[in-house]
Amino acid sequence: MIRQPFNTPLTRLLGIRTPVVSASMTGVSGAELAARVTKGGGFGFIGIGTDDGTKATAELARARTILGTPPSERVNVGIGFLGWLLNANPHAHQLVRTVLDGRPRALWFFAGDNHTPWIEFVRKYDAERGLGEAERTLIFVQLNSVEEALKAVEDGVDAIVVQGIEAGGHGSTHALPLLTLLPTVLRALPPSSSSSPRPVVLTSGGLTHGPHLAALLALGAHGIALGTRFLVSPSSLYAPAKKAALLAASSASAVRSFTFDELMPPAAWPAGMDGRALANAILTDKDEGLEIEERKRLFKESAEKGSDERLIVWAGVGVGLVDTVKEVEDIVNELHDDAFERIQTAAQMIGQ
């Protein structure tokens, strides 16, 4: 089936058919998930956590194989970094350089006090290799506020990912709901010019299906980033027990709390950033007043027993809409088709 492509700044920037990217999820989105999103018509990101470059190199090589990309060309996936982990890594510059040597199409930065030095590092790397405007590494920055958006524009990034409070995983505890945050950010962005073009704008937070894509495009976004929807796919690196928990969850099950991170060293996310995950005995232990050492003991004991009673399962508020397992390419195609249908239906509401 030949699908009519969308035409948005995101699809033009990446040369893709469907304005959907898979979020950079550390430990969950590997080469297979990312490459399959790209094969399906979107664009995939591989999440990198604490790594010396070995994993990133292997994942990029695998993605290159899946996509059939020759060594002489950029591989059409991205690599995502957590800024606070980079800042704590004494070998971070070598890590980023190693990743860039693998020639990913894009890099994604999130959750750091200041991404500017890393953005400058990437731009310098490209300049030293004589890469022109069309060949440079694209830079995405995920953010939760107008202030962060304006700083990203100042840094000259190619795309911003506006993340609402509905998102699974980590984000600012003070983030606005997406339907308020997006127009607030769009209103604050400076006008585009030839010397300072506006970045492409993506959104994330509770998004799972085609109608979400259609709605966000109508609101002014150029595309969306999905996490939870891809977590239950066969290509996700999530453990089977976590996938089962996601499929059984309601949207009310996904709650934000600092409690989850208290159990996982190092609990060093930047101040004011909490995580949204499925509620379970972890929160019950806290509510019952158990001291942190006892909660850690119970958490460790549950893990050793293979119990799902205290699993940390990151998920956005859209998790209640995720109740079937599909291959990644099928998810992207469904998003494309359903969004197209909703947009066409909405166009018919305009009077002649």
Side-chain angles (χ1 to χ4, degrees):
M1 175 181 178
I2 299 177
R3 290 175 169 85
Q4 182 178 349
F6 280 86
N7 181 18
T8 78
L10 177 65
T11 60
R12 295 195 296 272
L13 177 71
L14 293 170
I16 59 177
R17 182 200 67 193
T18 306
V20 169
V21 307
S22 59
S24 169
M25 299 176 285
T26 301
V28 181
S29 51
E32 183 176 348
L33 193 157
R36 283 181 173 271
V37 171
T38 296
K39 285 184 72 174
F43 187 85
F45 277 92
I46 299 167
I48 298 296
T50 53
D51 179 33
D52 62 1
T54 303
K55 176 183 176 182
T57 298
E59 291 293 288
L60 280 171
R62 187 175 178 208
R64 187 178 292 279
T65 298
I66 293 171
L67 294 171
T69 306
S72 60
E73 298 178 9
R74 281 194 180 276
V75 59
N76 211 26
V77 296
I79 293 285
F81 294 103
L82 293 172
W84 64 273
L85 281 179
L86 281 179
N87 294 336
N89 183 352
H91 308 293
H93 287 87
Q94 182 57 48
L95 167 60
V96 177
R97 187 178 294 108
T98 298
V99 167
L100 290 169
D101 287 345
R103 305 194 69 192
R105 185 73 183 93
L107 298 186
W108 171 310
F109 294 99
F110 176 52
D113 295 332
N114 182 15
H115 300 305
T116 303
W118 297 112
I119 294 168
E120 292 175 346
F121 182 86
V122 176
R123 298 303 190 209
K124 181 180 179 182
Y125 176 98
D126 285 353
E128 289 175 347
R129 284 151 184 79
L131 300 179
E133 187 72 11
E135 302 170 299
R136 74 184 191 284
T137 308
L138 299 175
I139 296 177
F140 289 57
V141 169
Q142 182 180 335
L143 47 86
N144 300 119
S145 69
V146 167
E147 292 75 20
E148 291 175 291
L150 293 177
K151 184 65 172 68
V153 171
E154 181 183 320
D155 287 337
V157 305
D158 300 287
I160 59 175
V161 184
V162 179
Q163 182 196 47
I165 194 73
E166 304 92 338
H170 290 82
S172 170
T173 188
H174 302 297
L176 294 170
L178 184 55
L179 292 185
T180 301
L181 181 58
L182 174 61
T184 303
V185 168
L186 291 175
R187 179 178 292 185
L189 292 179
S192 185
S193 67
S194 57
S195 59
S196 181
R198 268 191 172 195
V200 168
V201 179
L202 293 86
T203 57
S204 70
L207 310 177
T208 58
H209 285 72
H212 289 141
L213 171 57
L216 270 300
L217 291 176
L219 199 59
H222 304 138
I224 62 174
L226 270 65
T228 303
R229 181 71 194 277
F230 289 122
L231 288 178
V232 300
S233 72
S235 299
S236 162
L237 298 178
Y238 240 15
K242 293 187 177 185
K243 292 182 180 182
L246 289 171
L247 291 168
S250 70
S251 288
S253 303
V255 299
R256 293 189 76 105
S257 176
F258 291 102
T259 305
F260 303 109
D261 284 316
E262 291 174 350
L263 305 177
M264 296 198 312
W269 281 82
M273 299 197 82
D274 62 1
R276 187 182 294 279
L278 298 184
N280 55 23
I282 289 173
L283 297 185
T284 304
D285 293 340
K286 179 69 173 287
D287 292 341
E288 291 178 349
L290 298 185
E291 295 296 330
I292 182 62
E293 291 307 318
E294 176 64 6
R295 287 188 279 127
K296 286 183 176 180
R297 185 190 69 79
L298 291 171
F299 178 67
K300 181 180 179 181
E301 184 180 89
S302 290
E304 290 173 347
K305 290 180 178 179
S307 169
D308 59 6
E309 189 178 19
R310 291 179 176 84
L311 282 176
I312 296 179
V313 185
W314 305 114
V317 298
V319 66
L321 298 172
V322 180
D323 55 7
T324 57
V325 177
K326 291 187 175 184
E327 290 287 357
V328 170
E329 294 95 330
D330 294 332
I331 293 173
V332 177
N333 287 333
E334 178 199 296
L335 288 161
H336 185 104
D337 295 343
D338 289 352
F340 235 101
E341 180 184 350
R342 291 304 175 99
I343 290 171
Q344 291 174 329
T345 299
Q348 296 170 8
M349 299 179 188
I350 301 173
Q352 298 297 321

